Amino acid sequence: MAAADGDIQEELLKLAQLAGLSQDEGIRAAIESLPLLPSPERQRTETEKLMKYLSPLAAMRVWNGDAEEHPFLPQPEGEELPEFDVLLGLIDDLKVGVKLEDFLTHVQVSGPTKKGKTFFILSQLRQLIEHGVPTHIFDTQGDYADLLPSMCPRAKVIRYQDMRRNPFEEPPNLTQDEWLQHVTNYLRECFYYRDGVVNLFRSLCTQLREQGLKFNARTFVEEYRRVPRTVRREADYFQSLGRFVTAISNPTYQCESGFDLRMLSTEPVVFDLSNMANDWRLFFIADLVTWHHASRTYRRNRGVELVLVFDELSHFYSEEASKRSDLGEPFILQMVRESRKRGLGVILADQVYKNFHGTVRANCQTKVVFETIDGPSRIEVGRDLSLNQEQQEFLSELSFNVQPQRRVLVQIPTYPKPFLLIIPQIEMPDSRQVYEKPELEWVPLPEKEEKQEKPQHDEVSHEMDRYLATVGCNPLLTESECDALVKNYDPTHNKTRGTNIRKALMELGLLEEHKVPTMKRGRYYKVPVPTKAGYERLSKRKIGFKTLEGNGSVQHKFYQRRVKEKLQKQGLYAEVEMILRTKQVDVGSVKEGLLPRRVAYEIVWDDDLDKELSNLEKNAIDGWDMTVFAVQNEEMRDHLNAVLPDGNEQVEIRLLRELI
Ligand SMILES: Nc1ncnc2c1ncn2[C@@H]1O[C@H](COP(=O)(O)OP(=O)(O)OP(=O)(O)O)[C@@H](O)[C@H]1O
Ligand SMILES: [Mg+2]
């Protein structure tokens, strides 16, 4: 047989495949034995025979494929469908989509894992962003954080560690009381709090307000620790409220006012929450969503101002909470019900249709249903979209015989019946970067001191107790700073009295004095600190003292505090022993903004320069933009300078005295 005959064989095999007979042994043998036939004549006649047999079969099957019978026929025709802004998919060559306003009546997407829900939503987001509609995605799996920026370079990804938010700050249109009412509601939902705990929360807030203090996570936590727990019942409430206190002790909330949420809501933003623990995550989202919801006034005919995306809906509310009558309606359901007239659109997705709450189903007028294998869900879809038995069953084979392999059932607000759509293939740019996700890190609260029975110090006078409490509540002050504080509430106090009281407390073993070298040789700050017995005495009297922040010696802690305070005075957010991912730094500061700038301060106390070099490296890996080494004197500065790598712009050496 000639070379061209190989092609003939191949063509016949293709034809057999189209005819559905590629596995038929007789046909295969006939095609394969063609070259073995004795004469070209025989070969030609056999080929013709096979062609004659296979062609009509193949043609019939191809034709059947084109005009596939399915129970949703007839599909809508071009002129029946309105114009659109955002493409959903195709019916053959006909493009079908929805208007921007249709997002205000919300979109619900369901389908088993890996069917393409996330990709479908990404394609919607890309188009919304191109139309200038801001979108906020609460991304619990990190998919959107990975993929959206490569589709829309304008989209910003904010890791929750980088977010700065004061949950006590009310939106501009609400009074503080109104906002606290909202906060109370979502605290109930996020932490399952009952009335007792909620009342405790409110009473702490009232106390803060009465003291005229700024309302933020820091002042709240301080108040929580300061207030004595007198009754047993109350102690339980305090313990429950501890979960909220731990949540707001996260760096996200350690700021005066945080990001400008109004500005943020004009941008496409992915909140990457993939590393966040469940109940904190719910709290984080509840706070932001409630803010967006409450900050917008209710008005008819609003355009779509912001689209919120909740993929994997089950992460955003708990069935348990929605059933408990004392908790009220979960924030997400309330939002789906009321957000339309506030200009908020919502896209919700879940794997199981059956899991969508009735409120969600009733309020989402655009529904996208991927191939649904689970029977109960098919029945529910059937009920919600008025499908007949045959249509319902067809939901399990939506993607059979379809190229590319994704077809969905959709219901849109502007067409009376549901119909089938092909989802176009999405090409991802190759340069997609997959980054390693950082470990989950939390800044734990200090352990509560254990309370024990301890000996009475009868000789302790009222004045001495007060002095001890002042030192305990204001750690790491110098002697003269302590005296000045006491003078605030006791004008007769003076330096000599201070010296005498300290001496008496030291003799009783309740106080000790640490000498911290100043930058001038031979001179010291004297820093009084309660002893273990001193702290025990304070806790027995229910004085909410503060433990010393920082690590290492009292001297080291003293300078950590000084550096922190200086930074705070400059208006920066600063924290001792701050941690971004893996390792604490002596003092960390963050300048707030969409791209926060993070500076780590390391106080160089001894001559261990290798340790400092390794700190430098680890800090850069952890995400600090700059490491500042604070050294005691010029000599140390020169030593360090000699070992630092040249040309590293992420490091600076400063004299400690300039930083305090
Ligand atoms: N429209 C599409 N174009 C191209 N590829 C797609 C499309 N839809 C889905 N895929 C492919 O299928 C894979 C799974 O899709 P996707 O992540 O959207 O599924 P999912 O339904 O969100 O799954 P899960 O429930 O597990 O989150 C994707 O990684 C992608 O490779
Ligand atoms: Mg997904």
Side-chain angles (χ1 to χ4, degrees):
M1 234 171 141
D5 298 336
D7 295 344
I8 291 178
Q9 260 182 309
E10 212 165 273
E11 212 162 283
L12 283 171
L13 281 171
K14 230 187 260 168
L15 210 55
Q17 197 175 10
L18 284 173
L21 294 173
S22 56
Q23 303 303 321
D24 183 303
E25 279 180 21
I27 299 287
R28 285 189 78 96
I31 296 173
E32 275 158 21
S33 61
L34 279 177
L36 308 175
L37 292 176
S39 68
E41 205 78 345
R42 282 285 307 278
Q43 285 176 2
R44 203 173 313 118
T45 49
E46 283 301 313
T47 306
E48 275 168 12
K49 254 201 237 163
L50 279 166
M51 287 262 190
K52 242 188 198 159
Y53 178 62
L54 292 174
S55 296
L57 282 177
M60 208 158 74
R61 289 201 31 119
V62 169
W63 182 82
N64 267 349
D66 276 348
E68 184 206 8
E69 294 277 341
H70 63 68
F72 290 92
L73 291 171
Q75 293 269 79
E77 305 274 337
E79 59 277 12
E80 294 175 274
L81 292 165
E83 301 216 322
F84 65 87
D85 301 313
V86 174
L87 175 76
L88 293 176
L90 305 168
I91 301 175
D92 299 328
D93 293 333
L94 176 65
K95 292 181 173 170
V96 183
V98 289
K99 300 286 272 181
L100 290 180
E101 302 84 76
D102 291 335
F103 283 87
L104 285 177
T105 49
H106 315 318
V107 180
Q108 180 192 342
V109 184
S110 66
T113 178
K114 296 287 159 274
K115 286 290 170 199
K117 298 181 296 295
T118 300
F119 266 55
F120 171 75
I121 295 174
L122 279 165
S123 79
Q124 305 296 292
L125 292 174
R126 173 165 56 188
Q127 299 178 68
L128 282 169
I129 294 169
E130 276 164 11
H131 276 99
V133 178
T135 57
H136 280 192
I137 299 119
F138 297 98
D139 184 9
T140 54
Q141 317 208 315
D143 289 348
Y144 294 86
D146 281 350
L147 298 172
L148 192 63
S150 57
M151 296 171 79
C152 312
R154 270 188 56 210
K156 292 192 172 61
V157 176
I158 303 186
R159 290 179 308 145
Y160 73 92
Q161 298 96 313
D162 293 334
M163 179 73 188
R164 290 290 172 264
R165 166 84 185 124
N166 173 5
F168 295 97
E169 190 164 281
E170 68 276 9
N173 58 323
L174 293 191
T175 65
Q176 196 165 55
D177 256 340
E178 287 166 333
W179 175 242
L180 284 177
Q181 187 57 45
H182 285 285
V183 177
T184 327
N185 286 344
Y186 70 72
L187 283 189
R188 282 176 190 272
E189 179 181 343
C190 297
F191 300 107
Y192 302 128
Y193 285 159
R194 293 183 192 261
D195 287 345
V197 190
V198 168
N199 291 342
L200 172 63
F201 168 78
R202 298 206 60 120
S203 84
L204 289 177
C205 290
T206 313
Q207 283 168 37
L208 269 186
R209 190 164 1 195
E210 280 168 1
Q211 293 172 56
L213 288 174
K214 270 204 113 163
F215 233 110
N216 58 36
R218 193 166 57 220
T219 51
F220 185 89
V221 173
E222 275 168 16
E223 187 65 14
Y224 169 84
R225 296 209 203 129
R226 194 186 63 82
V227 173
R229 293 118 223 246
T230 41
V231 210
R232 168 101 191 87
R233 234 165 96 80
E234 235 177 46
D236 288 346
Y237 294 152
F238 267 97
Q239 197 176 3
S240 299
L241 195 61
R243 293 175 56 214
F244 167 65
V245 170
T246 316
I248 59 171
S249 300
N250 183 294
T252 300
Y253 299 107
Q254 303 295 309
C255 54
E256 294 294 325
S257 54
F259 288 2
D260 183 342
L261 291 189
R262 262 182 310 176
M263 269 251 297
L264 212 57
S265 63
T266 60
E267 310 257 357
V269 181
V270 181
F271 293 100
D272 181 359
L273 313 177
S274 51
N275 288 319
M276 212 167 178
N278 280 358
D279 41 2
W280 286 312
R281 185 171 64 199
L282 197 61
F283 168 74
F284 177 88
I285 298 163
D287 166 46
L288 286 193
V289 169
T290 310
W291 194 94
H292 283 310
H293 188 78
S295 66
R296 293 172 151 72
T297 44
Y298 190 87
R299 202 177 67 219
R300 259 165 212 290
N301 304 328
R302 270 186 112 124
V304 54
E305 292 165 19
L306 176 66
V307 171
L308 303 171
V309 180
F310 305 92
D311 199 340
E312 306 288 341
L313 186 65
S314 49
H315 289 161
F316 299 98
Y317 85 106
S318 84
E319 197 62 33
E320 188 184 341
S322 77
K323 282 186 187 134
R324 240 177 69 182
S325 58
D326 58 329
L327 291 181
E329 187 179 33
F331 71 89
I332 214 126
L333 299 185
Q334 191 199 359
M335 193 189 52
V336 174
R337 233 168 16 82
E338 296 179 357
S339 59
R340 176 152 74 100
K341 292 192 179 131
R342 293 181 154 92
L344 295 175
V346 184
I347 302 178
L348 300 147
D350 202 276
Q351 293 187 6
V352 184
Y353 187 91
K354 196 164 63 70
N355 287 352
F356 284 115
H357 192 277
T359 306
V360 171
R361 294 195 210 169
N363 284 283
C364 289
Q365 294 191 20
T366 302
K367 292 186 167 41
V368 178
V369 181
F370 282 80
E371 195 169 69
T372 303
I373 319 158
D374 93 287
S377 286
R378 281 208 303 273
I379 294 176
E380 304 275 329
V381 177
R383 200 174 295 153
D384 287 356
L385 299 183
S386 315
L387 305 185
N388 62 33
Q389 186 73 20
E390 200 188 349
Q391 289 173 326
Q392 240 182 59
E393 272 160 22
F394 191 75
L395 290 177
S396 64
E397 47 193 80
L398 277 183
S399 294
F400 287 9
N401 281 333
V402 187
Q403 286 299 335
Q405 290 277 300
R406 269 168 284 273
R407 185 162 62 174
V408 292
L409 177 70
V410 296
Q411 169 78 67
I412 58 174
T414 43
Y415 191 77
K417 289 187 315 173
F419 52 90
L420 300 185
L421 273 189
I422 298 279
I423 301 292
Q425 191 72 4
I426 296 176
E427 300 305 331
M428 279 290 159
D430 285 339
S431 61
R432 199 172 114 197
Q433 285 181 356
V434 181
Y435 59 86
E436 250 181 64
K437 291 177 186 135
E439 297 284 300
L440 172 63
E441 292 292 353
W442 294 99
V443 182
L445 288 178
E447 292 290 323
K448 257 194 278 170
E449 296 275 320
E450 285 220 0
K451 293 178 189 169
Q452 286 168 1
E453 278 311 308
K454 41 231 99 111
Q456 287 293 317
H457 297 277
D458 292 324
E459 315 90 314
V460 183
S461 69
H462 176 59
E463 266 186 338
M464 284 157 74
D465 258 340
R466 258 192 348 197
Y467 195 92
L468 189 64
T470 308
V471 176
C473 294
N474 301 281
L476 298 169
L477 295 185
T478 63
E479 263 180 23
S480 46
E481 285 168 331
C482 286
D483 282 336
L485 258 188
V486 177
K487 211 168 158 51
N488 279 338
Y489 56 74
D490 176 4
T492 63
H493 187 86
N494 59 30
K495 204 173 155 190
T496 327
R497 287 255 299 278
T499 313
N500 289 338
I501 293 175
R502 276 190 297 274
K503 222 165 120 194
L505 284 169
M506 284 195 277
E507 274 167 15
L508 290 172
L510 296 173
L511 195 73
E512 55 196 7
E513 198 160 69
H514 293 263
K515 285 183 168 176
V516 179
T518 64
M519 299 303 137
K520 295 187 188 122
R521 274 184 207 285
R523 301 194 58 173
Y524 292 93
Y525 295 116
K526 288 184 185 158
V527 180
V529 177
T531 58
K532 188 156 180 275
Y535 282 125
E536 279 167 7
R537 185 174 175 85
L538 289 176
S539 43
K540 188 156 174 236
R541 294 177 57 226
K542 303 214 161 39
I543 308 278
F545 61 84
K546 292 186 199 157
T547 46
L548 307 191
E549 278 189 309
N551 83 73
S553 60
V554 170
Q555 284 84 351
H556 189 261
K557 288 177 181 161
F558 177 82
Y559 280 114
Q560 280 181 290
R561 174 175 157 267
R562 288 281 158 126
V563 171
K564 174 187 86 171
E565 283 179 354
K566 177 83 177 271
L567 291 165
Q568 285 177 340
K569 276 195 197 126
Q570 292 166 5
L572 296 168
Y573 171 69
E575 196 181 287
V576 165
E577 295 295 304
M578 190 153 156
I579 179 165
L580 281 188
R581 288 194 196 169
T582 54
K583 165 189 158 300
Q584 279 131 330
V585 299
D586 284 344
V587 182
S589 81
V590 178
K591 192 165 171 219
E592 289 164 21
L594 261 184
L595 286 174
R597 181 176 158 78
R598 292 162 292 207
V599 182
Y601 293 83
E602 303 283 6
I603 296 169
V604 185
W605 204 249
D606 39 33
D607 237 339
D608 188 355
L609 299 182
D610 283 343
K611 190 181 88 195
E612 304 307 340
L613 285 180
S614 110
N615 277 344
L616 177 60
E617 211 169 286
K618 287 183 196 152
N619 291 353
I621 294 172
D622 267 9
W624 295 97
D625 301 310
M626 164 81 91
T627 298
V628 177
F629 288 113
V631 297
Q632 292 177 67
N633 49 41
E634 284 83 353
E635 194 186 340
M636 185 85 97
R637 182 176 61 189
D638 297 341
H639 274 185
L640 194 56
N641 231 336
V643 296
L644 283 183
D646 280 341
N648 185 341
E649 291 187 348
Q650 289 192 318
V651 61
E652 211 177 285
I653 308 177
R654 300 279 301 274
L655 288 169
L656 189 49
R657 66 169 173 265
E658 296 167 2
L659 295 172
I660 62 170

